[in-house]
C-alpha cells in the first residue's frame, strides 16, 4: 500500500514522501517542533464489470397443420361371399372352400358384397394362386354408386368355361385366361373382390377359397 507522510512545521513545511519503494525525502524549513500526520492512500476501487446475459425470445413457431384424410372418399369392403355351382353360399356354409364346375349351369357362379361407401367407387374381381392379390389375374371391374347397377351392395355373375376362361358381366368385353393357374383338376384358387376409391389411391379387398373343377 502507498503511504504519504506529511509534517507541518510552524513557519515552514517539511514533506516526507514515500511511494512504492521510492527513496524517503525529508525537507525541513526551521527548527520548530514538528507535528506529524499520517495519511493512508486508498486504492481506487477496481472497475466492476457486470455481465448481462440477453435472452432473445423468438416468436413462437406455429405448428404445421394436421392433415386429416377425408375418410368419406375411402370405400371399405364389409362382406364378400360366393355362391358356387352347387348353390352353396360361403356366407352360410362352414366348408373350407366352394366348387365351380364348368358343366353345371354352364359354369355360372355368383359373387356378392357389401361396401361401406359414401361416394362412387370401383369394385374389382381377381383370381389367383396365392392369397396376394398383387399376384392374381384380373377378371373384371365395375363402377358402383348411387343410381348405378351396384351401390353399397352389389352382385355380379361370372362364368367359368371348360377351356379355363372366366368372364363377369361387368359390361367389359374382357375374358380372363386362368389356364396358367390350373395344374390339376380340381384346382383350389383364391377369388378376390376389392373396392377402390375413384382415383385408386386406396383399395380394400378380401379373398375366398374356391375349387375350380
Amino acid at each position: 500500500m502507498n503511504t504519504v507522510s506529511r509534517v507541518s512545521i510552524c513557519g515552514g513545511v517539511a514533506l516526507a514522501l514515500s511511494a512504492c519503494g521510492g527513496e524517503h525525502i525529508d525537507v525541513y524549513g526551521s527548527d520548530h517542533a514538528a507535528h506529524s500526520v499520517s495519511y493512508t492512500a486508498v486504492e481506487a476501487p477496481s472497475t466492476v464489470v457486470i455481465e448481462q446475459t440477453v435472452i432473445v425470445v423468438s416468436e413462437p413457431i406455429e405448428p404445421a397443420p394436421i392433415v386429416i384424410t377425408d375418410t368419406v372418399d375411402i370405400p371399405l369392403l364389409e362382406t364378400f361371399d360366393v355362391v358356387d355351382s352347387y348353390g352353396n353360399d360361403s356366407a352360410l356354409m362352414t366348408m373350407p372352400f366352394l366348387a365351380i364346375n364348368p358343366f353345371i349351369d354352364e359354369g355360372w357362379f355368383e359373387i356378392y358384397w357389401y361396401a361401406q361407401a359414401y361416394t362412387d367407387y370401383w369394385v374389382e374381381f381377381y383370381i389367383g394362386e396365392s392369397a396376394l392379390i398383387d399376384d392374381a389375374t384380373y377378371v373384371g371391374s365395375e363402377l358402383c354408386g348411387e343410381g348405378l347397377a351396384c351401390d353399397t351392395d352389389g352382385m355380379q355373375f361370372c362364368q367359368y368355361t371348360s377351356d379355363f376362361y372366366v368372364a363377369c358381366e361387368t359390361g367389359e368385353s374382357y375374358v380372363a385366361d386362368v389356364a396358367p393357374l390350373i395344374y390339376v383338376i380340381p384346382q383350389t384358387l383364391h377369388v378376390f373382390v376389392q373396392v377402390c376409391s375413384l382415383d385408386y389411391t386406396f383399395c380394400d379387398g378380401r379373398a375366398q377359397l374356391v375349387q375350380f373343377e
Side-chain angles (χ1 to χ4, degrees):
M1 179 176 293
N2 300 333
T3 302
V4 178
S5 298
R6 178 180 178 185
V7 181
S8 297
I9 306 174
C10 293
V13 177
L15 296 176
L17 302 176
S18 175
C20 297
E23 295 183 356
H24 185 75
I25 301 174
D26 293 329
V27 179
Y28 299 95
S30 69
D31 294 333
H32 288 82
H35 298 280
S36 178
V37 180
S38 295
Y39 295 91
T40 300
V42 179
E43 294 182 358
S46 301
T47 303
V48 178
V49 178
I50 300 175
E51 294 184 358
Q52 183 177 9
T53 302
V54 179
I55 301 175
V56 179
V57 180
S58 61
E59 291 295 327
I61 299 175
E62 292 292 334
I66 299 174
V67 178
I68 300 176
T69 303
D70 188 359
T71 57
V72 171
D73 295 333
I74 297 177
L76 298 175
L77 184 60
E78 296 287 343
T79 60
F80 144 58
D81 289 287
V82 176
V83 179
D84 69 4
S85 300
Y86 302 91
N88 298 314
D89 190 333
S90 61
L92 305 176
M93 61 186 298
T94 58
M95 294 178 61
F97 49 80
L98 306 173
I100 298 174
N101 190 310
F103 302 104
I104 299 177
D105 198 17
E106 298 181 343
W108 287 99
F109 62 98
E110 179 185 335
I111 298 173
Y112 65 98
W113 68 94
Y114 176 77
Q116 178 182 310
Y118 300 96
T119 60
D120 293 353
Y121 66 94
W122 288 101
V123 59
E124 295 184 319
F125 311 100
Y126 291 82
I127 296 175
E129 293 181 75
S130 73
L132 299 176
I133 193 171
D134 292 339
D135 300 331
T137 298
Y138 173 81
V139 175
S141 62
E142 186 176 8
L143 181 63
C144 298
E146 186 176 358
L148 300 175
C150 53
D151 197 349
T152 54
D153 58 343
M155 181 175 61
Q156 184 60 243
F157 290 100
C158 301
Q159 185 179 30
Y160 170 55
T161 66
S162 59
D163 51 355
F164 309 113
Y165 286 97
V166 176
C168 297
E169 294 184 329
T170 60
E172 300 171 284
S173 56
Y174 182 79
V175 178
D177 182 9
V178 297
L181 307 178
I182 298 177
Y183 305 100
V184 295
I185 299 294
Q187 177 75 57
T188 301
L189 298 174
H190 293 79
V191 175
F192 295 89
V193 169
Q194 76 170 1
V195 295
C196 300
S197 57
L198 289 178
D199 57 2
Y200 284 94
T201 57
F202 178 87
C203 293
D204 183 32
R206 299 187 184 188
Q208 294 274 2
L209 283 175
V210 177
Q211 278 192 346
F212 285 77
E213 300 178 339

